[in-house]
């Protein structure tokens, strides 16, 4: 495997070294996620903070930090298309791999995993899919689009904050 450093230097890693680093990073990331979920109970007990907000911010973002960091690094190296694709793939990974595996695991070993989708989740998901489709409609994104790219970037940040506010002010689900 070839890894390009900051100054264009190429680092040669063997497959075993790459696999070992990937396994260690996976274990450390899962340990961080486990630590967060164990220590989040005091925040969940406060009536001011919605459980939806904690779920879509802290609990959803901690295991995805490596992908977020990669997306930011690609954007810093002027590879906006790859940065956006990495960001979109986070949601696809959760929807296509993680949730079905959790449902399958719950079938054989009942851990009480239940999927509840309220109207809030449904409309936020539909809105996000439509917006993402609109952004990727032209099939390219770069810094040379000028003002239009800046408006889209700003629009994405504004929409993200609108969705965060929506989940922050949403009441916690009954029975949780």
């Amino acid at each position: 495997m070839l890894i390009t450093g900051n100054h264009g230097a190429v680092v040669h890693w063997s497959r075993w070294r790459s696999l070992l680093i990937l396994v260690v990073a996976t274990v450390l990331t899962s340990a961080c996620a486990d630590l967060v979920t164990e220590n989040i109970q005091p925040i969940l007990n406060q009536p001011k903070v919605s459980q939806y907000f904690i779920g879509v911010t802290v609990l959803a973002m901690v295991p995805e930090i490596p992908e977020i960091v990669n997306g930011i690094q690609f954007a810093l190296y002027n590879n906006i298309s790859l940065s956006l694709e990495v960001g979109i793939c986070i949601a696809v990974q959760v929807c296509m791999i993680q949730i079905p595996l959790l449902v399958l695991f719950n079938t054989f070993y009942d851990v009480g995993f239940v999927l509840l989708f309220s109207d809030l989740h449904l409309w936020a998901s539909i809105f996000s899919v439509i917006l993402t489709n609109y952004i990727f409609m032209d099939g390219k994104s770069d810094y040379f689009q000028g003002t239009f790219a800046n408006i889209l970037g700003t629009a994405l940040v504004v929409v993200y904050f609108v969705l965060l506010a929506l989940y922050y002010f949403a009441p916690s689900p009954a029975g949780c």
Side-chain angles (χ1 to χ4, degrees), residues 131 135 147-161:
L131 182 69
I135 289 170
T147 307
F148 185 67
N150 292 336
I151 291 171
L152 278 180
T154 305
L156 285 174
V157 171
V158 168
V159 167
Y160 180 73
F161 283 122

Side-chain angles (χ1 to χ4, degrees), residues 30-132:
S30 65
C32 288
D34 189 47
L35 189 64
V36 166
T37 55
E38 286 178 4
N39 294 313
I40 205 156
Q41 194 60 39
I43 296 173
L44 291 175
N45 290 336
Q46 295 180 1
K48 296 178 184 177
V49 180
S50 170
Q51 290 180 5
Y52 285 143
F53 181 74
I54 297 296
V56 298
T57 56
V58 177
L59 295 180
M61 293 180 93
V62 168
E64 305 302 333
I65 287 176
E67 285 90 356
I68 294 169
V69 169
N70 282 334
I72 292 170
Q73 286 178 341
F74 291 135
L76 290 175
Y77 288 125
N78 296 330
N79 197 344
I80 299 301
S81 294
L82 185 58
S83 175
L84 287 173
E85 288 174 18
V86 167
I88 297 303
C89 286
I90 294 171
V92 171
Q93 175 185 347
V94 169
C95 292
M96 299 295 287
I97 297 171
Q98 291 178 357
I99 292 177
L101 282 177
L102 284 172
V103 170
L104 184 65
F105 181 76
N106 192 48
T107 302
F108 296 111
Y109 182 72
D110 188 18
V111 292
F113 181 73
V114 178
L115 288 175
L116 296 175
F117 294 103
S118 65
D119 290 343
L120 174 74
H121 297 308
L122 178 69
W123 289 112
S125 299
I126 289 172
F127 179 68
S128 300
V129 167
I130 290 171
L131 182 69
T132 303

